Amino acid sequence: MRLQTGTRLGLYAVLELARDPQRTLSAADLAERFGVSSHHLAKVLRTLAGAGLVRGDRGASGGYRFTGNRRRTTLMDIVALFEPVPGRRAKEAGADTDIGQALQSVLLEIDEIAEATLRSISIETLLKGCLQHA
C-alpha cells in the first residue's frame, strides 16, 4: 500500500493535534513542522474537519485542534478519507492479462493485510508508542 502525500499529511496532522487535544495549532505551524506548503495542508485539514476529526477556528488565536476520539479512531479511518477503497482501484496497463490478473490478486491481498493492520491501530495506541520512544 503506497499512501498519497495527502494521506500522510492527514495522518501527521491528526497525530500531532491528538497529542494534546486542548492545544490549537495553525495550518502554518503544522506545515512548517512537516516541511510542506500551508496551502496543501489546509486542503487536508478541511477534509479532516469534514470528517469531524479536527476543528478549525478563525481569528488571531485560531487554528486547528483534535476533536475526534483517540481510542476509537484508527489509522485506517484517516487513510480511508484520502485513498480509494482496495479493490476499487483504477485498472493498470496489463491488468487484463493472465500475469496481470495474478499480480493484481497478490497486490489486492497485500492491500487487505495493510488495511487490517491500519484498522487495528488506534490513534491512542500509536501515540502511546511514540511517547514511550521519545
Side-chain angles (χ1 to χ4, degrees):
M1 172 181 272
R2 182 170 183 225
L3 299 178
Q4 300 176 46
T5 301
T7 306
R8 284 183 275 129
L9 289 176
L11 288 165
Y12 289 145
V14 165
L15 290 166
E16 186 62 37
L17 293 168
R19 277 184 175 198
D20 180 0
Q22 304 304 315
R23 180 182 55 167
T24 300
L25 292 172
S26 71
D29 289 338
L30 289 166
E32 182 178 330
R33 189 166 299 191
F34 304 133
V36 298
S37 78
S38 59
H39 177 71
H40 191 169
L41 189 61
K43 289 171 52 177
V44 169
L45 289 166
R46 278 195 298 273
T47 299
L48 295 172
L53 293 173
V54 301
R55 179 179 165 179
D57 291 321
R58 295 176 184 234
S61 62
Y64 290 88
R65 63 185 173 86
F66 181 74
T67 55
N69 183 322
R70 288 173 36 147
R71 291 185 180 154
R72 292 183 179 235
T73 303
T74 68
L75 298 180
M76 189 62 206
D77 293 330
I78 300 161
V79 170
L81 295 172
F82 302 97
E83 298 288 334
V85 176
R88 293 189 184 168
R89 298 181 191 281
K91 281 193 170 187
E92 297 175 2
D96 290 333
T97 65
D98 57 342
I99 290 174
Q101 289 174 354
L103 182 59
Q104 289 302 314
S105 177
V106 171
L107 294 175
L108 179 60
E109 187 175 331
I110 291 169
D111 281 352
E112 289 171 350
I113 292 168
E115 182 180 335
T117 302
L118 292 169
R119 284 195 190 289
S120 72
I121 302 170
S122 70
I123 300 299
E124 180 84 10
T125 300
L126 189 72
L127 288 174
K128 280 183 183 174
C130 287
L131 296 175
Q132 289 174 351
H133 293 104

